[in-house]
Amino acid sequence: MNKIVVYTRLIALSIVALLLSSCTEYLNEIPKGQAIPVTWDDFNNFLKNEYFDGYNSEMGQVYVLMNDVYRSPTQLNTKLTHANYNWDESINRADENTNDYYLYTNNYSGVFYANLIIEEADKMTECTEEQRRMIKAQAHMLRAMFYFHVANYHADQYSPSTLDKPSIPLVTSSSVEAPSPQVTIGELYDFILDDLHASLEHLPLEGETYHHPTKVAGYGMLARVYLSMSDYENALKYADLALGMNDALFDWIAYYEADAARYAEPAPGFPSSSYSTKCKPMAKTNPENYIFRYGSALDWSGISGKSMGIPLHRAARFEEGDARLRTHWKRRYYASTNEDLYFGIHGEMMNVGGITSPEMYYIKAECLARKGGASNVNAAMDLLNTVRKTRIFPEFYADATASTTKEAVNKIIDEKANEYIQTMIPFWDLRRLNKDPEYARTLSKEVGGKTVSLKPDSHLWTMPFASRILLNPGNGTIVQNTPR
């Protein structure tokens, strides 16, 4: 892995081993002035460091492809962004991709440190045996998360027909000489599941910080992975276990009403910064959180201003009276550029790459609906409505109902996409559904007076490796996973 490009910030703790520097290979020597991590505190400080690149879930091109962000004509001068935003398959994105590598490098930085902890856990000093087992379990769970994020960006969707297709490099050692073969999708998912199941026994009930994996996060990650595999029986099992530990829901209606006068201000002439500075902090302490991960686009400023605004056609997918739309975006016309969009007004950090309880409600609901029968469909709708009651203003609220499995599943997917807009979750869902003719969707919109579409079998659903990744394959080779 000595040639895989990995970017990481210097952890200001004077205990960092084998630091990586921007645009360089792994160092074969410990930098001067840095000590080898030895104690449990040394290694635990990796997990506590909120500035660690591994906790940064950069997913910019997913937001673009899903049209979960607004991109102006000037921003579309970049061919990669134009291809994804306007679903233009004529552009060779692999040739144009020189900058979309942060999700890859951030997560492989995380893999490096997870491997280091797993390898050294048995040698740690100044700790109990319980602490040693716990931090090793936490590293196993984090490593699974890192690999899942990269695979579901740069490789095809898991399905019976794709198991033998190439996925991403698999590195299981922190050694600079470690092999990094590009394994198949089937092999990678086997590894991810092994990591997660290995972690469960010794994950703690409570984490020292919101970045530390816990038992409920382990259950939640297993539910997410099994759902991605269309293994609905196991996804239901682990979503249920997760909700049994934490089924809390944040009340977005109360959040809005506590600041209703500010939200009611007219958009023109009312700077988005006014919203940001008055936004009540809650993201890190949100009771829904199982584990927290940032995204660099939303890192410290949140959904704020035009950069994280959403186009009109995307805002229209929220039902009337949705407090999430009202607390996050406001429609605004920019006369100087003749742009009409919903610009961001929510200046809070967002948990874009972690796991939260609503995801488990949606997973459990979908899995129940897929079991079929009126009782299961009704139970699925009850779960969906439990979440909606904390999101939809009472004067607009009516219970969602469904008479068939397909109707229920589609309503759950639509609601889940609004809950997790500007994260990878709606992207993961549509990639999975695209493999099922009964649920596959074609997205369409108007561009310049013409209808453009993103079809279920489009190669755009897999993001190409950036050129610098292909030029630094580690101790192995990397083949491009999408034709363009």
Side-chain angles (χ1 to χ4, degrees):
M1 189 176 177
N2 58 314
K3 293 183 180 179
I4 290 182
V5 179
V6 180
Y7 292 77
T8 188
R9 297 182 182 92
L10 176 64
I11 299 177
L13 296 169
S14 74
I15 58 152
V16 182
L18 302 175
L19 289 174
L20 311 177
S21 60
S22 297
C23 303
T24 63
E25 300 176 352
Y26 274 109
L27 300 179
N28 289 315
E29 298 179 359
I30 299 170
K32 292 181 179 180
Q34 304 299 329
I36 300 174
V38 175
T39 69
W40 181 85
D41 277 338
D42 291 344
F43 285 94
N44 189 46
N45 280 325
F46 289 137
L47 305 187
K48 291 169 64 175
N49 176 30
E50 65 179 345
Y51 299 102
F52 174 43
D53 282 347
Y55 295 147
N56 186 328
S57 300
E58 170 57 52
M59 308 167 190
Q61 289 300 321
V62 162
Y63 310 149
V64 171
L65 184 78
M66 297 294 290
N67 279 209
D68 278 354
V69 292
Y70 174 81
R71 288 295 176 258
S72 68
T74 55
Q75 291 173 306
L76 297 179
N77 289 335
T78 302
K79 289 186 177 181
L80 178 65
T81 299
H82 168 79
N84 286 327
Y85 192 70
N86 286 331
W87 308 325
D88 187 345
E89 295 186 351
S90 69
I91 293 175
N92 190 323
R93 297 177 306 157
D95 287 347
E96 300 296 333
N97 186 10
T98 58
N99 296 316
D100 184 30
Y101 51 81
Y102 290 107
L103 182 137
Y104 184 96
T105 56
N106 287 345
N107 280 279
Y108 274 101
S109 177
V111 167
F112 169 82
Y113 285 109
N115 285 336
L116 185 64
I117 291 171
I118 291 168
E119 291 169 350
E120 299 298 324
D122 293 338
K123 307 173 189 175
M124 291 179 195
T125 63
E126 300 179 28
C127 65
T128 65
E129 189 60 32
E130 181 181 1
Q131 286 177 311
R132 183 178 287 114
R133 289 194 296 262
M134 179 181 70
I135 199 169
K136 190 173 182 179
Q138 289 172 324
H140 275 291
M141 192 213 145
L142 286 173
R143 186 169 66 178
M145 288 188 73
F146 297 139
Y147 277 127
F148 184 83
H149 280 211
V150 179
N152 282 277
Y153 194 79
H154 288 302
D156 201 349
Q157 172 64 30
Y158 180 101
S159 74
S161 64
T162 65
L163 297 183
D164 294 328
K165 294 182 68 173
S167 182
I168 59 174
L170 178 63
V171 187
T172 59
S173 170
S174 64
S175 168
V176 295
E177 301 301 328
S180 55
Q182 186 177 9
V183 296
T184 67
I185 291 172
E187 289 169 334
L188 185 73
Y189 269 77
D190 286 344
F191 183 86
I192 288 171
L193 288 175
D194 285 346
D195 252 359
L196 290 173
H197 284 291
S199 74
L200 278 183
E201 182 180 359
H202 297 296
L203 286 175
L205 296 180
E206 294 185 8
E208 184 176 343
T209 72
Y210 44 81
H211 290 309
H212 281 71
T214 58
K215 184 85 75 177
V216 68
Y219 288 149
M221 191 64 201
L222 276 165
R224 175 184 285 178
V225 173
Y226 279 122
L227 183 75
S228 180
M229 299 169 68
S230 299
D231 184 342
Y232 299 113
E233 181 177 352
N234 274 311
L236 173 60
K237 171 184 174 180
Y238 288 103
D240 199 39
L241 286 169
L243 288 171
M245 297 188 71
N246 180 2
D247 63 356
L249 290 170
F250 186 80
D251 191 338
W252 282 103
I253 298 170
Y255 184 83
Y256 174 90
E257 290 176 344
D259 225 0
R262 181 168 64 89
Y263 288 120
E265 288 284 345
F270 194 74
S272 60
S273 60
S274 297
Y275 292 95
S276 300
T277 56
K278 296 180 182 179
C279 189
K280 301 180 295 298
M282 62 83 190
K284 297 179 182 178
T285 58
N286 191 319
E288 296 176 347
N289 287 340
Y290 290 177
I291 189 170
F292 195 94
R293 286 187 68 170
Y294 305 104
S296 65
L298 309 175
D299 203 349
W300 304 115
S301 59
I303 300 174
S304 182
K306 187 188 296 187
S307 65
M308 296 309 292
I310 58 176
L312 301 186
H313 67 271
R314 179 60 186 89
R317 289 166 52 191
F318 284 88
E319 65 180 287
E320 188 176 11
D322 195 317
R324 292 166 299 192
L325 181 64
R326 291 195 190 180
T327 54
H328 288 71
W329 296 277
K330 185 180 285 287
R331 185 165 178 166
R332 182 172 184 176
Y333 174 70
Y334 291 85
S336 60
T337 54
N338 192 31
E339 297 174 275
D340 199 8
L341 68 145
Y342 279 76
F343 77 106
I345 62 173
H346 187 70
E348 178 62 80
M349 287 179 289
M350 304 302 294
N351 190 359
V352 301
I355 305 172
T356 60
S357 58
E359 184 181 359
M360 300 301 110
Y361 278 91
Y362 297 123
I363 291 176
K364 183 175 180 180
E366 181 182 345
C367 294
L368 281 175
R370 286 179 177 275
K371 291 171 77 72
S375 61
N376 285 319
V377 169
N378 290 337
M381 290 294 98
D382 288 343
L383 285 165
L384 180 65
N385 288 323
T386 298
V387 180
R388 291 179 63 250
K389 287 174 183 176
T390 63
R391 272 69 174 154
I392 311 300
F393 291 106
E395 60 268 32
F396 297 98
Y397 180 84
D399 278 345
T401 61
S403 56
T404 66
T405 290
K406 186 172 183 179
E407 184 183 6
V409 169
N410 281 327
K411 287 188 176 183
I412 292 162
I413 294 298
D414 289 343
E415 171 66 19
K416 190 178 179 185
N418 287 337
E419 178 71 27
Y420 290 105
I421 185 173
Q422 296 184 345
T423 75
M424 281 183 73
I425 290 175
F427 175 73
W428 294 335
D429 278 339
L430 291 194
R431 276 166 48 100
R432 169 172 56 90
L433 296 178
N434 286 344
K435 299 296 184 181
D436 183 346
E438 186 174 7
Y439 290 97
R441 298 184 178 192
T442 295
L443 306 182
S444 298
K445 67 176 181 178
E446 296 294 317
V447 177
K450 297 181 179 180
T451 299
V452 297
S453 298
L454 178 61
K455 297 180 180 180
D457 60 353
S458 173
H459 66 265
L460 298 177
W461 289 103
T462 298
M463 299 296 170
F465 292 114
S467 55
R468 66 179 60 196
I469 295 172
L470 297 176
L471 292 172
N472 293 272
N475 296 318
T477 59
I478 299 178
V479 299
Q480 192 64 270
N481 287 331
T482 181
R484 298 177 68 82

